[in-house]
Amino acid sequence: MFWPSSTTQRTFRPKKNAPVGSKGAALKSHIDATLGSGNLREAVLLPPGEDLNEWLAVNTVDFYNATSMLYAILGEYCTDAACPTMCAGPKYEYRWADGVKVKKPIECSAPQYVDYLLEWVEAQVDDEALFPQAPGAAFPKNFADVVRKIFTRLFRVYAHIYHSHFPQVCTLGAEAHLNTCFKHFIYFTGAFGLVKREELAPLGELVDGIMGVSAGP
């Protein structure tokens, strides 16, 4: 287990619990059990007879927690000075806008971007109009779109880590943890079409390797 250092407190978010809905706890237990089996492809599949939105909701919280914890271990390396822009290599730069507090995309450092992102995801998950907590409460009609946007933005954290901080991840002895988390992320988003191919481009070769896609002749 890797814990955030004292320099990561701005970005680190305490672990969130799964939605309290009628299936939340049971689905979270199912996730933990299937992950324990070591078969990540099986772990992402919708359990027979379960509601798709419930499954997406519980996993959204799980992946938020995993991404937050993973990024937090890099706090002493991913700083405003070291990463003045949120990028994934020289070809891809991300600017922040949430359509509410920040309506026009702004350039910001990587830690600022991730801070905005995690705060935004947390607000989405805590909004009961989007992620209902009451047993039997209905999900909004646009719930799949909400989840797609969350996962698309969470992917950018992985893209930045692999492009800018993989040597530091190896120094910390956390490369196996990073690779497992990312593989799980790609299997899940691939199974439910949550991140568009063009958004995956910064890590396209790695994604193809995970999914077993041939690079061609």
Side-chain angles (χ1 to χ4, degrees):
M1 175 62 71
F2 304 93
W3 297 103
S5 69
S6 59
T7 60
T8 66
Q9 295 308 307
R10 183 180 72 176
T11 301
F12 176 63
R13 293 286 192 279
K15 186 174 181 180
K16 295 191 70 64
N17 293 321
V20 181
S22 59
K23 297 288 187 180
L27 290 177
K28 180 64 173 69
S29 296
H30 178 86
I31 292 171
D32 293 342
T34 51
L35 282 177
S37 73
N39 189 334
L40 294 178
R41 283 189 182 273
E42 178 184 325
V44 304
L45 300 178
L46 177 67
E50 298 294 353
D51 180 74
L52 174 60
N53 286 336
E54 292 273 10
W55 185 240
L56 292 176
V58 173
N59 276 279
T60 299
V61 174
D62 252 22
F63 280 106
Y64 162 86
N65 285 331
T67 305
S68 175
M69 290 292 292
L70 185 62
Y71 180 76
I73 70 173
L74 294 168
E76 64 181 293
Y77 302 109
C78 190
T79 63
D80 293 336
C83 301
T85 60
M86 177 62 176
C87 62
K91 294 183 179 180
Y92 301 95
E93 178 182 333
Y94 302 115
R95 299 190 177 191
W96 179 256
D98 59 16
V100 180
K101 294 181 180 179
V102 183
K103 295 185 178 181
K104 183 178 180 180
I106 59 172
E107 182 177 343
C108 51
S109 68
Q112 287 173 328
Y113 185 99
V114 176
D115 197 35
Y116 283 135
L117 169 56
L118 296 179
E119 181 181 4
W120 172 78
V121 175
E122 188 169 16
Q124 302 284 297
V125 171
D126 287 342
D127 184 349
E128 293 195 29
L130 297 177
F131 285 76
Q133 298 290 311
F139 285 86
K141 292 182 179 179
N142 69 331
F143 185 66
D145 292 332
V146 171
V147 171
R148 287 189 189 100
K149 181 170 285 189
I150 289 174
F151 276 91
T152 295
R153 289 181 166 178
L154 287 178
F155 168 80
R156 297 171 183 177
V157 180
Y158 283 102
H160 178 70
I161 290 174
Y162 272 108
H163 276 280
S164 300
H165 299 294
F166 193 69
Q168 290 94 347
V169 170
C170 294
T171 297
L172 292 168
E175 65 269 28
H177 179 63
L178 168 63
N179 291 337
T180 298
C181 287
F182 186 62
K183 183 181 291 187
H184 185 201
F185 183 94
I186 291 302
Y187 283 157
F188 186 79
T189 56
F192 299 101
L194 300 177
V195 182
K196 293 180 179 179
R197 176 66 196 184
E198 55 264 32
E199 288 284 348
L200 298 172
L203 297 177
E205 290 186 11
L206 180 58
V207 171
D208 286 347
I210 291 171
M211 298 301 291
V213 177
S214 172

